[in-house]
Amino acid sequence: MPFPTSEEITALARPVVEAHGHPIEGVKLHRAGKKSLVAVMVDADSDTLEAISTELSALFDAAEAAGECNFGPGYTLEVSTPGVDTPLSAPRHWRRNRHRLVSVALEGEGEPTIGRIGALAEDGSAVILVRGKGKSVGLEALRLDQEITAVVQIEFAQPPEEQTALTGLTFEEATQWQEEHK
């Protein structure tokens, strides 16, 4: 039996990961010599990742012992969250990164803009983006049905208070604030 594909690993791992209430964000395989790497990215916290990792390890070992897959001479399992440089592509990504700085590029609109992620609409169709500083701070409701490339920016300084106060508003409160401050 050949080394499993990422699709086969995803199909094998999905029931375990989803039983914990989380989606699989991706699977990467690196076949290398005596030990191959099986990396499973899951949108979950560290305690849940540990439990998922333990269960997947047992599952993969059992599947290999049953002849359902073959990892070769050995493998290392890595269960982690997607990296900070992974583009935000689903509403849950925006929700998880609330209050963080993000670079947003809309298809066909030139240079990316920088803003801070606020509340996500209840239906996941839009997110509040806080832009500017001081007296020039403003809000925008960014529709998520557009072609968007968005990546979280790494920050070393504390975010400005006026921005975090606005990212703490609910979607409805932020929309009302936007109307009042036009």
Side-chain angles (χ1 to χ4, degrees):
M1 170 165 274
F3 195 86
T5 65
S6 50
E7 291 80 14
E8 291 168 332
I9 294 295
T10 300
L12 193 58
R14 182 173 283 119
V16 169
V17 175
E18 289 180 353
H20 287 273
H22 299 285
I24 293 177
E25 292 288 335
V27 171
K28 292 182 182 173
L29 305 173
H30 302 282
R31 294 182 63 180
K34 294 184 180 189
K35 283 259 184 179
S36 296
L37 174 66
V38 177
V40 180
M41 279 75 63
V42 179
D43 188 4
D45 61 37
S46 59
D47 291 338
T48 306
L49 288 177
E50 186 176 338
I52 290 170
S53 181
T54 301
E55 291 176 36
L56 287 180
S57 181
L59 175 69
F60 293 166
D61 290 347
E64 193 170 36
E68 296 169 8
C69 62
N70 181 0
F71 291 104
Y75 72 98
T76 299
L77 175 62
E78 178 183 289
V79 179
S80 63
T81 60
V84 71
D85 60 345
T86 303
L88 307 180
S89 59
R92 70 179 176 274
H93 299 152
W94 293 90
R95 183 178 298 112
R96 180 181 70 230
N97 285 290
R98 187 172 183 177
H99 307 292
R100 301 204 52 197
L101 204 60
V102 66
S103 171
V104 178
L106 298 173
E107 176 107 7
E109 290 202 15
E111 292 296 312
T113 60
I114 303 293
R116 190 165 301 282
I117 301 171
L120 183 69
E122 217 173 281
D123 64 0
S125 65
V127 66
I128 295 297
L129 197 60
V130 178
R131 296 187 196 188
K133 294 180 182 175
K135 294 183 185 215
S136 66
V137 72
L139 300 179
E140 172 188 351
L142 182 66
R143 289 187 353 268
L144 298 181
D145 62 354
Q146 305 174 81
E147 286 293 321
I148 300 172
T149 302
V151 179
V152 171
Q153 302 297 293
I154 297 179
E155 288 184 278
F156 296 104
Q158 289 292 321
E161 262 184 59
E162 66 271 8
Q163 288 182 358
T164 56
L166 293 173
T167 62
L169 299 175
T170 66
F171 189 86
E172 291 75 21
E173 291 169 338
T175 304
Q176 182 178 351
W177 187 97
Q178 182 184 22
E179 287 298 316
E180 292 170 0
H181 292 85
K182 278 188 176 182

